[in-house]
Amino acid sequence: MSNTNDSGHRYDVIIVGSGFSGVNMGIALKHAGIDNFIILEQADDVGGTWRDNVYPGCACDVPSHLYSYSFEPNPDWSTAYSSSDEIEGYIHHCVDKYGLRPHLKFGEEIVAGTFDASAGQWRLRNADGQHYSARLVVSAVGGLVNPSEPNLPGRELYTGKVMHTARWDRNFDVRGKRIAVVGTGASAIQVVPAIQPDVEELVLFQRTAPWIVPKVDPSISEGAKKLFHRFPLVQKGLRGGILALTELVFAPMVILDSPLQKLLEAAARSNLKKVKDPALREKLTPTFHIGCKRVLFSSDYYPAVQQDNVQVITDGIASFTETGLKTDKGETFDVDAVVLATGFRVDITNPPFEIHGLDDVTLADLWSRPGGKAYKGVAINGIPNFFMMLGPNTGPGHTSVLIYTEAQADYITQAVKTVLDQGLGYVNVKRPVLDHWHEKLQHRMRYTSWTSGCQSWYLDEHGENHTLFPGLATEYALGMRHFKLEEYEVG
Ligand code: N01
């Protein structure tokens, strides 16, 4: 097997994906003095989720001071919770500042990878059949990338526009149009208030009413920005304060029947009182434990759905018609466009591409049952010299995902350095180490509200949670401080 790609270059590391995680990984490698790496991205630009999600109102529901790299504070955030555009701009800034442009290659969809144990080399293949080789591979492909669209009959008959929120057409003007929005998750509660004032009519199809708590989103004053520029420690302190709040207040809220969970539910119920019409309030009242699905933050969703041009429909959707949608009760709604705010196919626990490890074992086989599992969410027994960013059970339910990715980037960098500096063929996490980690996590899952009886993208088809970390982000990050070679088999 060749050790080179089609252009003849050998890499130490290939990073697949250039969203927040891939960029983080690239920065960490550079910081460690490792320069012989490439970042392969299937799209035509960096930014991942923040490149793809550009629907009106798209913003982060984690405060910007925390939803940014700890080593690269941005004193110029314009609001407490930044917009998608502003976050995408921040990622570009980081790519430039940390010199990642020369490492990036776009239009590279990796479809398969094979590890050659005798050579200690990965060989990746892209969709055009070209190969790339490297000692180590880091998969940073993201977990919520591919839209999940309902398979409704008659879609081909419908003459209007259909758009998933993650594939928003910026050229589509909603003004004066009749719009149907399907879904009431995190994306829907942002897009609905953003378009409601401009559309003629908005028909919102709700299958499950979500829990929503108020979101206070003040602009950041020029004075505050100057203060952050002049005294970076102030911004650092603010970041620490927000992290502490999410850890001490929001994390315990996912513990089933905890006092804080009850407090959060009371806050959300009180928020619901903003809905004046009792019949509408009844429709919007959730029937599951708060925290079972992602808790949503919004102060403009309830006001928007009470406007005269909005209808909330709780009947199921049976089909498209030529002119709109038909419910399972036979009611039809004529609309100019259908916005699918229906979420994503969750790929956190699916192999990012076809992966062949030691003895030709595939990751698909390893994960066929009991679902995705990786040591600390990053390493898989049987798949050596391969690390994941935001792999199984490393998603946060309560705070910034970047706390996790930063910890992973540093841990993986230590692994890379160990392999390169010690001239190892490969490192392969030991099976008992992985199993122990996984069993402990799944045991803790039982005490969370995520498995308390609702349907969400957190759970797989067996009702198991292989997506989120059942603990504090700081606990996870502390556990990632040291790469321990003794936990790995060396080849
Ligand atoms: O997707 P979702 P999302 N007919 O899966 C409904 C992140 N995010 O894009 O609840 C009718 O949460 C479905 O109904 P139900 C964040 O991690 C972050 O909103 O399954 N309805 C639900 O209401 C989030 O968790 C930000 O009964 C159908 C909705 O569609 C994740 O992305 C912002 C249906 C899907 O909700 C996903 O959020 C936005 C059907 N056939 C997103 N199929 C931040 O601010 C599905 N639904 C960081």
Side-chain angles (χ1 to χ4, degrees), residues 432-489:
V433 172
L434 167 59
D435 287 346
H436 179 66
W437 165 266
H438 184 72
E439 277 152 28
K440 237 174 61 186
L441 278 194
Q442 288 305 321
H443 180 76
R444 289 174 69 179
M445 265 328 155
R446 293 184 214 162
Y447 305 101
T448 69
S449 50
W450 302 323
T451 45
S452 64
C454 70
Q455 198 189 50
S456 79
W457 67 261
Y458 297 163
L459 306 180
D460 66 11
E461 68 274 26
H462 308 286
E464 290 167 13
N465 189 330
H466 296 276
T467 54
L468 301 190
F469 181 71
L472 299 179
T474 32
E475 171 201 345
Y476 177 77
L478 284 173
M480 295 294 278
R481 273 180 314 166
H482 306 294
F483 172 80
K484 295 178 182 154
L485 189 55
E486 63 270 24
E487 293 179 333
Y488 287 75
E489 293 157 8

Side-chain angles (χ1 to χ4, degrees), residues 195-348:
I195 64 173
Q196 174 275 322
D198 295 329
V199 302
E200 185 190 320
E201 197 185 328
L202 197 156
V203 189
L204 176 60
F205 288 90
Q206 172 190 278
R207 191 163 67 179
T208 309
W211 286 107
I212 304 174
V213 291
K215 175 177 172 186
V216 185
D217 187 13
S219 298
I220 297 175
S221 69
E222 290 309 311
K225 289 179 197 169
K226 274 191 198 136
L227 187 72
F228 298 148
H229 274 284
R230 220 150 149 220
F231 303 105
L233 270 182
V234 174
Q235 194 179 5
K236 214 173 170 176
L238 187 57
R239 179 190 167 87
I242 299 169
L243 174 61
L245 185 77
T246 61
E247 294 278 74
L248 299 175
V249 178
F250 286 102
M253 284 173 178
V254 300
I255 298 169
L256 201 53
D257 294 328
S258 67
L260 277 166
Q261 191 200 28
K262 290 188 177 133
L263 198 71
L264 185 67
E265 189 167 318
R269 279 195 194 283
S270 153
N271 196 29
L272 253 172
K273 290 192 186 135
K274 289 180 188 149
V275 180
K276 298 294 169 219
D277 172 15
L280 180 59
R281 195 184 322 130
E282 176 76 31
K283 273 187 188 177
L284 297 174
T285 302
T287 54
F288 58 92
H289 283 290
I290 194 164
C292 186
K293 288 168 179 281
R294 188 181 168 102
V295 178
L296 307 183
F297 295 82
S298 174
S299 291
D300 51 12
Y301 177 73
Y302 288 146
V305 295
Q306 293 180 76
Q307 299 306 309
D308 290 341
N309 63 343
V310 180
Q311 297 180 69
V312 179
I313 307 299
T314 51
D315 296 331
I317 304 168
S319 67
F320 275 94
T321 65
E322 246 179 69
T323 49
L325 292 171
K326 187 169 159 185
T327 69
D328 49 18
K329 296 230 171 89
E331 198 176 358
T332 55
F333 294 89
D334 290 345
V335 287
D336 302 304
V338 174
V339 172
L340 299 172
T342 46
F344 300 88
R345 216 184 62 208
V346 179
D347 287 327
I348 292 169

Side-chain angles (χ1 to χ4, degrees), residues 50 55 58-62 67 144 148 150-152 164-165 182-188 190 205-208 293-294 296 317 341-344 455 457-458:
W50 302 106
Y55 57 82
C58 185
C60 188
D61 60 11
V62 175
Y67 197 81
L144 299 173
S148 160
N151 192 12
L152 293 170
H164 189 277
T165 42
V182 182
T184 50
S187 302
Q190 293 181 334
F205 288 90
Q206 172 190 278
R207 191 163 67 179
T208 309
K293 288 168 179 281
R294 188 181 168 102
L296 307 183
I317 304 168
T342 46
F344 300 88
Q455 198 189 50
W457 67 261
Y458 297 163

